[in-house]
Amino acid sequence: MKAKRDDGLFAMEKRGNKWSCQVNLGVHPVSLKRLRKRFNADSKKEAYRMANEYYQQHQRGIDIHGGDSLLRDYLDKWFITWQSKRELKESSVRRYSEQINILNETLGDTPINMITPLHLDQLIRANPNLKSMHKSYAIMKRAFEDAIRYDLLITSPFWKHDAPKKPKRKEPVFLTEKEIGLLTTELHGNWIQELVLFALSTGARVGELIGLEWNDVEWNETDPINGPGTITIRRSIRTNTAGKYVSSEPKTVNGYRTIELSGKIMKMLSDKVVKNEARKIIAGRWVDLGVELIFPNRAGGYHSGSNLLKEFKRVAKQAGITKHVFLHALRHTSATLAIKNGTDIHTLKNRLGHENISITSDLYAHLYTGQQQAAAEMMDVYLDS
């Protein structure tokens, strides 16, 4: 039996043991279709309350139909908007897209207003790779927070869901002093020798090393050959999906930094100037990049990161280093050497170009434990008096 309409907005109807309330939202401005929404409840009062709450949201300008969007449709639109507000590198866009594809494969056909904590459990079970799953979970959580901010949703399933355990951060791989000695001996005369030694001294990232130019070096005015100097990290070189070299800003805002260099490293750089000029003559054809690189390849262009890694692994194996090492291990090794020589964590953070000190602390704080004993015994000399 149908109940009377309420000003043409609500239509009540009893269906078996349930009450149904349909709310009339007018006509869609584009499709000209009538917009209606039906709510079912155990009581007439509850059905009316649900319909009225929905109608009030519509009156306040909330896009209540956005909540009916399938997750895949919403994520596609959300990512375009979210990405436009950030200067993401091509590699970052690719990684985010991969995670969104995982979300779409698992829950893509579910309307966002129908997703529950049980669906989030389904997402966790669907991806056995803990690191990948955690990234997908974080992206989806961020997207739902924005859906609430955009008034597409009222609540988020993440509010009632226990977040998955974060994957443990891998311990940084670094070379011991013995291994450094073996490596530097084996590197003698090798075409990556200067780049590796510079990496060990500065802790610069591989992309930053590839893009270093002579204009970035500040020579000592008093003793330009053997005196200490500085180098400024201004850019990072990477390859895009087409295999072309792309110059971009350093990884973080703090990645743009000036690093102090020792006299021995400056001497190595001054010798590198002569070596590069000699190589330019021998090569015959020299790539014109419009800039002079400190560590160019044999033709004067940018080094290939994969070629550098291949040669570094070969030299490390030849030197008798059995651990699995990447070029990034040089950065970690530089940090450990700095800590051993008494560099405080704030200075190390600035030297490495970390975005915040928590990153430096998470990676290297355990290496400072040996310094606590010295701090503990600092006052002993006064206690004996």
Side-chain angles (χ1 to χ4, degrees), residues 27-54:
V27 178
H28 194 280
V30 178
S31 66
L32 301 181
K33 292 183 178 180
R34 287 191 174 278
L35 301 175
R36 300 186 180 96
K37 185 76 172 179
R38 184 179 295 277
F39 296 87
N40 299 313
D42 293 332
S43 67
K44 179 179 179 181
K45 182 178 180 181
E46 178 62 14
Y48 177 81
R49 185 196 67 77
M50 293 167 63
N52 185 54
E53 181 179 334
Y54 192 83

Short mmCIF file of all heavy atoms in Angstrom, two decimals, residues 27-54:
data_model
loop_
_atom_site.label_atom_id
_atom_site.label_comp_id
_atom_site.label_asym_id
_atom_site.label_seq_id
_atom_site.Cartn_x
_atom_site.Cartn_y
_atom_site.Cartn_z
N VAL A 27 15.47 16.75 -12.17
CA VAL A 27 15.91 16.30 -13.48
C VAL A 27 17.39 16.61 -13.66
O VAL A 27 17.85 17.70 -13.29
CB VAL A 27 15.10 16.97 -14.60
CG1 VAL A 27 15.59 16.53 -15.98
CG2 VAL A 27 13.62 16.64 -14.45
N HIS A 28 18.15 15.64 -14.20
CA HIS A 28 19.56 15.86 -14.47
C HIS A 28 19.71 16.94 -15.54
O HIS A 28 19.04 16.87 -16.59
CB HIS A 28 20.22 14.56 -14.95
CG HIS A 28 21.70 14.60 -14.94
ND1 HIS A 28 22.44 15.20 -15.94
CD2 HIS A 28 22.60 14.12 -14.03
CE1 HIS A 28 23.72 15.09 -15.67
NE2 HIS A 28 23.85 14.43 -14.53
N PRO A 29 20.59 17.93 -15.31
CA PRO A 29 20.70 19.06 -16.24
C PRO A 29 21.22 18.69 -17.63
O PRO A 29 21.01 19.43 -18.58
CB PRO A 29 21.68 20.00 -15.53
CG PRO A 29 22.45 19.14 -14.59
CD PRO A 29 21.49 18.08 -14.16
N VAL A 30 21.92 17.56 -17.75
CA VAL A 30 22.48 17.17 -19.04
C VAL A 30 21.65 16.09 -19.71
O VAL A 30 21.18 16.24 -20.84
CB VAL A 30 23.94 16.68 -18.88
CG1 VAL A 30 24.50 16.23 -20.23
CG2 VAL A 30 24.79 17.78 -18.28
N SER A 31 21.44 14.97 -19.00
CA SER A 31 20.70 13.85 -19.59
C SER A 31 19.19 14.06 -19.58
O SER A 31 18.46 13.39 -20.30
CB SER A 31 21.03 12.57 -18.83
OG SER A 31 20.54 12.64 -17.49
N LEU A 32 18.70 15.00 -18.74
CA LEU A 32 17.27 15.31 -18.58
C LEU A 32 16.49 14.12 -18.02
O LEU A 32 15.26 14.09 -18.10
CB LEU A 32 16.67 15.74 -19.93
CG LEU A 32 17.31 16.99 -20.58
CD1 LEU A 32 16.60 17.33 -21.88
CD2 LEU A 32 17.24 18.18 -19.63
N LYS A 33 17.21 13.16 -17.45
CA LYS A 33 16.54 12.04 -16.80
C LYS A 33 16.16 12.40 -15.37
O LYS A 33 16.85 13.19 -14.72
CB LYS A 33 17.46 10.81 -16.79
CG LYS A 33 17.73 10.22 -18.17
CD LYS A 33 18.59 8.97 -18.04
CE LYS A 33 18.83 8.34 -19.40
NZ LYS A 33 19.67 7.11 -19.30
N ARG A 34 15.05 11.82 -14.92
CA ARG A 34 14.64 12.06 -13.53
C ARG A 34 15.61 11.36 -12.58
O ARG A 34 15.98 10.21 -12.81
CB ARG A 34 13.22 11.56 -13.29
CG ARG A 34 12.16 12.45 -13.95
CD ARG A 34 10.77 12.07 -13.46
NE ARG A 34 9.78 13.00 -13.97
CZ ARG A 34 9.52 14.19 -13.40
NH1 ARG A 34 10.17 14.55 -12.31
NH2 ARG A 34 8.59 14.98 -13.91
N LEU A 35 15.98 12.06 -11.55
CA LEU A 35 16.92 11.52 -10.57
C LEU A 35 16.13 11.07 -9.33
O LEU A 35 15.48 11.88 -8.68
CB LEU A 35 17.96 12.57 -10.18
CG LEU A 35 18.83 13.11 -11.32
CD1 LEU A 35 19.73 14.21 -10.82
CD2 LEU A 35 19.64 12.01 -11.96
N ARG A 36 16.22 9.79 -9.05
CA ARG A 36 15.51 9.23 -7.89
C ARG A 36 16.47 8.32 -7.11
O ARG A 36 17.40 7.76 -7.67
CB ARG A 36 14.29 8.43 -8.32
CG ARG A 36 13.24 9.20 -9.10
CD ARG A 36 12.02 8.32 -9.33
NE ARG A 36 10.97 9.01 -10.07
CZ ARG A 36 10.80 8.93 -11.37
NH1 ARG A 36 11.64 8.21 -12.10
NH2 ARG A 36 9.80 9.57 -11.96
N LYS A 37 16.18 8.19 -5.83
CA LYS A 37 16.96 7.29 -4.99
C LYS A 37 16.02 6.64 -4.00
O LYS A 37 15.21 7.33 -3.36
CB LYS A 37 18.06 8.08 -4.25
CG LYS A 37 19.02 7.21 -3.45
CD LYS A 37 20.01 6.50 -4.33
CE LYS A 37 21.07 5.80 -3.51
NZ LYS A 37 22.03 5.08 -4.36
N ARG A 38 16.12 5.31 -3.86
CA ARG A 38 15.20 4.58 -2.99
C ARG A 38 15.95 4.03 -1.78
O ARG A 38 17.07 3.53 -1.90
CB ARG A 38 14.55 3.43 -3.76
CG ARG A 38 13.49 2.66 -2.97
CD ARG A 38 12.88 1.57 -3.82
NE ARG A 38 12.13 2.12 -4.94
CZ ARG A 38 10.86 2.56 -4.85
NH1 ARG A 38 10.22 2.51 -3.68
NH2 ARG A 38 10.24 3.03 -5.91
N PHE A 39 15.33 4.12 -0.61
CA PHE A 39 15.90 3.63 0.63
C PHE A 39 14.93 2.65 1.29
O PHE A 39 13.73 2.93 1.39
CB PHE A 39 16.20 4.77 1.60
CG PHE A 39 17.25 5.72 1.08
CD1 PHE A 39 16.89 6.80 0.28
CD2 PHE A 39 18.59 5.51 1.36
CE1 PHE A 39 17.86 7.66 -0.22
CE2 PHE A 39 19.56 6.37 0.87
CZ PHE A 39 19.18 7.44 0.07
N ASN A 40 15.43 1.52 1.75
CA ASN A 40 14.63 0.51 2.42
C ASN A 40 15.05 0.38 3.87
O ASN A 40 16.25 0.43 4.18
CB ASN A 40 14.79 -0.84 1.71
CG ASN A 40 14.32 -0.79 0.27
OD1 ASN A 40 13.25 -0.27 -0.01
ND2 ASN A 40 15.12 -1.32 -0.64
N ALA A 41 14.05 0.20 4.74
CA ALA A 41 14.33 0.06 6.18
C ALA A 41 13.23 -0.75 6.83
O ALA A 41 12.18 -1.01 6.22
CB ALA A 41 14.46 1.44 6.83
N ASP A 42 13.47 -1.13 8.10
CA ASP A 42 12.48 -1.93 8.82
C ASP A 42 11.26 -1.11 9.22
O ASP A 42 10.18 -1.66 9.43
CB ASP A 42 13.10 -2.56 10.07
CG ASP A 42 14.15 -3.61 9.70
OD1 ASP A 42 14.01 -4.21 8.62
OD2 ASP A 42 15.10 -3.80 10.48
N SER A 43 11.47 0.19 9.37
CA SER A 43 10.35 1.05 9.79
C SER A 43 10.17 2.22 8.83
O SER A 43 11.12 2.61 8.12
CB SER A 43 10.60 1.59 11.20
OG SER A 43 11.69 2.48 11.21
N LYS A 44 8.96 2.74 8.81
CA LYS A 44 8.65 3.88 7.95
C LYS A 44 9.49 5.09 8.36
O LYS A 44 10.01 5.82 7.51
CB LYS A 44 7.17 4.20 8.08
CG LYS A 44 6.69 5.38 7.26
CD LYS A 44 5.18 5.57 7.45
CE LYS A 44 4.69 6.76 6.65
NZ LYS A 44 3.22 6.97 6.84
N LYS A 45 9.67 5.28 9.66
CA LYS A 45 10.43 6.42 10.17
C LYS A 45 11.89 6.36 9.73
O LYS A 45 12.47 7.36 9.31
CB LYS A 45 10.33 6.44 11.70
CG LYS A 45 11.04 7.63 12.34
CD LYS A 45 10.86 7.60 13.86
CE LYS A 45 11.57 8.79 14.50
NZ LYS A 45 11.40 8.76 15.98
N GLU A 46 12.48 5.16 9.80
CA GLU A 46 13.89 5.02 9.44
C GLU A 46 14.10 5.21 7.93
O GLU A 46 15.07 5.84 7.49
CB GLU A 46 14.40 3.64 9.85
CG GLU A 46 15.85 3.34 9.48
CD GLU A 46 16.87 4.28 10.13
OE1 GLU A 46 16.49 5.00 11.08
OE2 GLU A 46 18.02 4.28 9.67
N ALA A 47 13.18 4.68 7.13
CA ALA A 47 13.28 4.85 5.68
C ALA A 47 13.19 6.33 5.31
O ALA A 47 13.94 6.82 4.45
CB ALA A 47 12.19 4.06 4.98
N TYR A 48 12.27 7.03 5.96
CA TYR A 48 12.13 8.47 5.69
C TYR A 48 13.39 9.23 6.13
O TYR A 48 13.85 10.14 5.45
CB TYR A 48 10.90 9.02 6.41
CG TYR A 48 10.74 10.53 6.22
CD1 TYR A 48 10.17 11.03 5.06
CD2 TYR A 48 11.19 11.42 7.20
CE1 TYR A 48 10.04 12.40 4.87
CE2 TYR A 48 11.08 12.78 7.01
CZ TYR A 48 10.50 13.27 5.85
OH TYR A 48 10.38 14.62 5.67
N ARG A 49 13.95 8.85 7.30
CA ARG A 49 15.15 9.54 7.79
C ARG A 49 16.30 9.39 6.81
O ARG A 49 17.01 10.36 6.51
CB ARG A 49 15.56 8.94 9.15
CG ARG A 49 16.74 9.68 9.80
CD ARG A 49 17.38 8.85 10.90
NE ARG A 49 18.01 7.66 10.37
CZ ARG A 49 19.19 7.66 9.74
NH1 ARG A 49 19.86 8.80 9.53
NH2 ARG A 49 19.70 6.52 9.29
N MET A 50 16.51 8.19 6.30
CA MET A 50 17.61 7.95 5.36
C MET A 50 17.41 8.75 4.07
O MET A 50 18.34 9.36 3.55
CB MET A 50 17.69 6.45 5.04
CG MET A 50 18.11 5.59 6.23
SD MET A 50 17.85 3.81 5.95
CE MET A 50 18.96 3.53 4.59
N ALA A 51 16.18 8.75 3.58
CA ALA A 51 15.90 9.48 2.34
C ALA A 51 16.06 10.98 2.55
O ALA A 51 16.60 11.69 1.68
CB ALA A 51 14.49 9.16 1.85
N ASN A 52 15.61 11.48 3.68
CA ASN A 52 15.70 12.91 3.96
C ASN A 52 17.16 13.37 4.13
O ASN A 52 17.54 14.44 3.66
CB ASN A 52 14.90 13.23 5.23
CG ASN A 52 14.85 14.74 5.49
OD1 ASN A 52 14.45 15.52 4.62
ND2 ASN A 52 15.28 15.14 6.68
N GLU A 53 17.97 12.53 4.80
CA GLU A 53 19.40 12.86 4.96
C GLU A 53 20.08 12.94 3.60
O GLU A 53 20.88 13.84 3.34
CB GLU A 53 20.07 11.79 5.82
CG GLU A 53 21.56 12.05 6.07
CD GLU A 53 22.20 10.98 6.94
OE1 GLU A 53 21.48 10.35 7.74
OE2 GLU A 53 23.43 10.78 6.80
N TYR A 54 19.72 12.02 2.74
CA TYR A 54 20.29 12.01 1.38
C TYR A 54 19.86 13.27 0.63
O TYR A 54 20.67 13.91 -0.06
CB TYR A 54 19.78 10.76 0.66
CG TYR A 54 20.49 10.45 -0.65
CD1 TYR A 54 21.69 9.77 -0.66
CD2 TYR A 54 19.91 10.82 -1.86
CE1 TYR A 54 22.34 9.46 -1.85
CE2 TYR A 54 20.54 10.51 -3.06
CZ TYR A 54 21.75 9.84 -3.05
OH TYR A 54 22.38 9.54 -4.23
#
